[in-house]
Amino acid sequence: MSVWVFGYGSLIWRPSFPFVEKRRAWIHGFARRLWQGSDDHRGVPGALGRVVTLVPVPEARCVGVAFLIADHEAEAVLAHLDHREKNGYQRHAVDLHDEGGVFARGTVFVADERNANFLGEASLDAIVDQVRRSRGPSGDNAEYVVELARALRALEAADDHIESIADALSSPYAILDA
Ligand code: BEZ
């Protein structure tokens, strides 16, 4: 069976798997937050970076990209994502929405507060400071946040939480504060 995967983070600009269709989509009841610690992509063990996860917020809507994976590739793609996102993320089934309403049931990867690398809420200054200092095998944590902000703006889906952190990272004063 073909499957839809919903991307709300780096999958938006770097899906790294084959798909037959992609479209702007959203899910209800979740907000995107830089609350998950990364020790394998944008940080290292002992110096975690911050990457996005979804947190339940009943009135929220999270806009991203839905990818349709062909039947014969679905199993391999999901296994690839399980491995790529092995650091605390688990598959969840969600309704995918577009302008026409719910168009499919899809899979989304969520790292909740029960995983060992969950960092949770912190002040804007603390998040910016951590992001600015962190880097891992996939590159600088700041680059991740700035790329995500850019990708969301391109989708006409700027996200206040991500924007505020990307703005602070790009501030000319950032280098003086570091
Ligand atoms: C994503 O880019 O949508 C994504 C975020 C976290 C884990 C897996 C996928």
Side-chain angles (χ1 to χ4, degrees):
M1 218 171 52
S2 58
V3 295
W4 286 92
V5 171
F6 180 73
Y8 59 95
S10 59
L11 294 188
I12 296 175
W13 78 92
R14 202 179 49 225
S16 75
F17 54 76
F19 54 86
V20 290
E21 182 187 333
K22 75 172 186 178
R23 64 169 95 159
R24 184 182 189 275
W26 54 89
I27 61 174
H28 286 166
F30 288 100
R32 177 178 14 236
R33 293 286 182 267
L34 273 167
W35 288 6
Q36 174 66 7
S38 172
D39 66 10
D40 57 355
H41 285 296
R42 300 293 177 161
V44 292
L48 302 182
R50 276 187 179 256
V51 292
V52 285
T53 185
L54 294 175
V55 298
V57 176
E59 66 280 8
R61 186 179 90 131
C62 176
V63 182
V65 173
F67 299 91
L68 179 61
I69 321 289
D71 181 11
H72 67 283
E73 283 167 329
E75 199 179 319
V77 167
L78 288 173
H80 162 73
L81 289 174
D82 282 340
H83 179 74
R84 169 174 153 169
E85 309 303 345
K86 61 187 180 302
N87 193 9
Y89 291 88
Q90 294 195 323
R91 298 183 200 176
H92 287 258
V94 284
D95 284 336
L96 302 177
H97 299 250
D98 67 7
E99 285 73 11
V102 175
F103 65 88
R105 196 89 175 135
T107 297
V108 64
F109 287 79
V110 178
D112 71 19
E113 70 286 352
R114 290 169 296 187
N115 85 85
N117 281 342
F118 188 79
L119 296 171
E121 191 165 10
S123 68
L124 176 66
D125 284 353
I127 292 179
V128 170
D129 189 51
Q130 185 172 1
V131 168
R132 197 182 287 144
R133 290 171 196 283
S134 299
R135 54 197 48 84
S138 298
D140 288 351
N141 204 173
E143 175 204 45
Y144 167 90
V145 175
V146 169
E147 283 297 327
L148 177 57
R150 189 178 296 147
L152 290 170
R153 274 182 240 127
L155 270 183
E156 298 186 353
D159 177 313
D160 289 349
H161 174 70
I162 302 299
E163 281 293 318
S164 62
I165 296 158
D167 275 0
L169 289 167
S170 312
S171 150
Y173 301 106
I175 203 158
L176 300 175
D177 299 338

